[in-house]
Amino acid sequence: MNTPLYVICLSGNIEHLQFCAMTASVAAVSGRKVSIFVSMNAFPHFTNKPAETPPTTGPFGDLMATKKMPPFMELFDNAVELGDAEIFACSMAMDVMGIGKDDLKPFVAGALGLTKFLSDAESGQLLIF
């Protein structure tokens, strides 16, 4: 039996978002249960409202933009559609930003509190991006 993977995605940096999405999608399509918790600077990219600022980028992010890499949102969507992944929005971030469930991307399962996510994560491996 595969150990479930729990991922906390906080960064609004393109390299972090991309690597988080790659990790989640590879694990999910490989048969691993994956739960992703998005909050802080990553959270605005998971809403239907355009993010006020694009993801920050570093030298590798600039290089990735010149290649034909699938965008991080496509990878997150693939993790949910093709594997056993769920993406949860931080309920605190939703409150702070005034975001409702209808404002979330369609592949986001809903809101979840950090306490519940961490309690669930005790049964698996936890990564933070």
Side-chain angles (χ1 to χ4, degrees), residues 21-85:
M22 291 183 333
T23 302
S25 64
V26 168
V29 299
S30 297
R32 199 164 177 188
K33 181 179 176 358
V34 179
S35 294
I36 304 152
F37 184 81
V38 294
S39 189
M40 305 292 178
N41 293 325
F43 178 74
H45 303 289
F46 292 83
T47 70
N48 292 324
K49 298 179 179 183
E52 291 182 18
T53 57
T56 59
T57 188
F60 198 83
D62 293 337
L63 181 61
M64 285 190 316
T66 67
K67 305 298 178 185
K68 294 183 180 180
M69 297 182 70
F72 66 88
M73 277 299 157
E74 184 178 321
L75 294 174
F76 280 121
D77 187 40
N78 288 345
V80 171
E81 290 298 318
L82 304 174
D84 189 8

Side-chain angles (χ1 to χ4, degrees), residues 2-24:
N2 290 330
T3 303
L5 180 63
Y6 293 86
V7 180
I8 297 176
C9 187
L10 301 173
S11 176
N13 175 280
I14 191 74
E15 290 92 345
H16 292 168
L17 289 163
Q18 187 74 25
F19 197 78
C20 181
M22 291 183 333
T23 302

